Amino acid sequence: MSTAATSHLLPVFARVDLAFERGEGVWLYGTDGERYLDFTSGVAVNALGHAHPHLVAALQAQAAKLWHMSNLFRSPDGEKVAARLCEASFADLVFFANSGAEAMEAAIKLTRKFHAAGGHPERYRIITFEGAFHGRTLATLAAGGQEKYLEGFGPRVEGFDQVPLGDLEATKRAIGPHTAGILIEAVQGEGGVRSAPLSFFKALRQLCDEHGLLLVFDEVQTGMGRTGELFAYKWTGVTPDVMALAKALGGGFPVGACLATAHAAAGMTAGSHGSTFGGNPLAMAAAGAVLDVMLAPGFLDHVRRMSLVLKQKLAAVVDRYPDVLSEVRGEGLLIGLKAVVPAGDLVTALRGQKLLTVGAGDNVVRLLPPLIVTEAEIEEGVARLERACATLSEDHAGQKARS
Ligand SMILES: *Cc1c(COP(=O)(O)O)cnc(C)c1O
């Protein structure tokens, strides 16, 4: 039995009391009759905004033809999307999953299997970095190493060694006879839009080559145009052996992917991994349509241009409200605002101005506008940020005066 006031959804999310009935581009229309500027993109998922006509048409056309037929049979649509992802990246082979955590699970399994198939099953450990987030399955939680998420769920999955982000000496010390690979996010999203210096990525690549390790990039959040390149590893100047994608890959349709070189994937043979839904025709129609838009000439240029515009305007706001904000960071349209006030208060104040944003670690507020955002929409967003900062700045001053 339920009443209007109770929900039968498992209460694992601290949900805001706000619901939406429709979206269009960067706008979301609430059941409260208000219009919200969406700078969350469903946490970096709706990269092409809401109800993008090309995605809607692709999914509607596929929905009338074939939804699902399992991986018992050939997948011409999957082959096409995989070929395009490989053409646009370092990879030779793709495994399709349904989420970021699943794409990461495939990456972890592939990394272990690479060494087992090469005669070294004892090499299964993976080095990860503090502040990382790789998903909520048991293995990806162990990889992320965040105590607050691991507590209460029994013994943690073995085989992850965590070191501070950017600490090369600690990384070297962590490498031993059991090490299989190194796993890193090009930019830590959940961790607070933090990145290691480029020299660190270069050093990791060298370490992997010296020790025969696989370099694995978690690009679940950074991939698919978010940073102004189709994949963020292109900024780092190094090429990984394995890469996980999800979030924006389907533009809102759940799909993930693990990409790898043929060399790295050598251990993965028939029966070594699987998924019932992974890469089904609906998911492939969505991913194919996303690629149509993102690979069109000028798309990534637009993202980079909007990034510059947004960052410049944000820097001016940070200058004006040093008691609210202290820093703008990030790449492309994965932007972090380091807050002086509690980041949660800023997210709430922004929502009061009908601008939706998402918090992250390190007291950061993430701005993740759809990549199709225009300069006018950015101006609108920044104006709303200014208004929110003004209210917080007054609150702040008031509190100080009272105390
Ligand atoms: C969101 C995210 C994941 C997990 O993706 P899910 O689809 O929620 O399982 C993994 N890694 C990174 C970097 C992410 O941002």
Side-chain angles (χ1 to χ4, degrees), residues 220-238:
V220 168
Q221 187 154 162
T222 56
M224 303 309 291
R226 177 53 57 186
T227 67
E229 287 279 4
L230 194 62
F231 308 115
Y233 77 81
K234 301 200 175 185
W235 291 116
T236 67
V238 305

Side-chain angles (χ1 to χ4, degrees), residues 166-197:
D167 189 336
L168 189 57
E169 289 313 309
T171 309
K172 284 182 185 163
R173 281 197 301 277
I175 297 174
H178 299 297
T179 307
I182 299 178
L183 164 61
I184 190 164
E185 292 158 88
V187 181
Q188 287 186 348
E190 306 297 315
V193 192
R194 291 197 314 146
S195 189

Side-chain angles (χ1 to χ4, degrees), residues 90-113:
F90 67 90
D92 304 307
L93 295 162
V94 181
F95 174 82
F96 286 113
N98 311 289
S99 68
E102 272 185 68
M104 274 309 309
E105 286 273 345
I108 292 164
K109 287 179 71 176
L110 183 148
T111 300
R112 290 180 171 195
K113 192 73 169 199

Side-chain angles (χ1 to χ4, degrees), residues 299-319:
F299 181 84
L300 294 171
D301 291 333
H302 171 80
V303 177
R304 289 194 281 258
R305 230 174 24 250
M306 291 307 109
S307 170
L308 277 179
V309 169
L310 179 56
K311 279 187 183 176
Q312 272 167 8
K313 291 184 188 298
L314 291 175
V317 180
V318 171
D319 282 347

Side-chain angles (χ1 to χ4, degrees), residues 59-83:
L59 210 53
Q60 280 178 339
Q62 187 60 49
K65 285 198 285 184
L66 180 66
W67 288 24
H68 180 83
M69 45 62 201
S70 86
N71 286 302
L72 295 171
F73 306 100
R74 268 191 61 191
S75 168
D77 299 328
E79 285 167 20
K80 251 182 250 159
V81 175

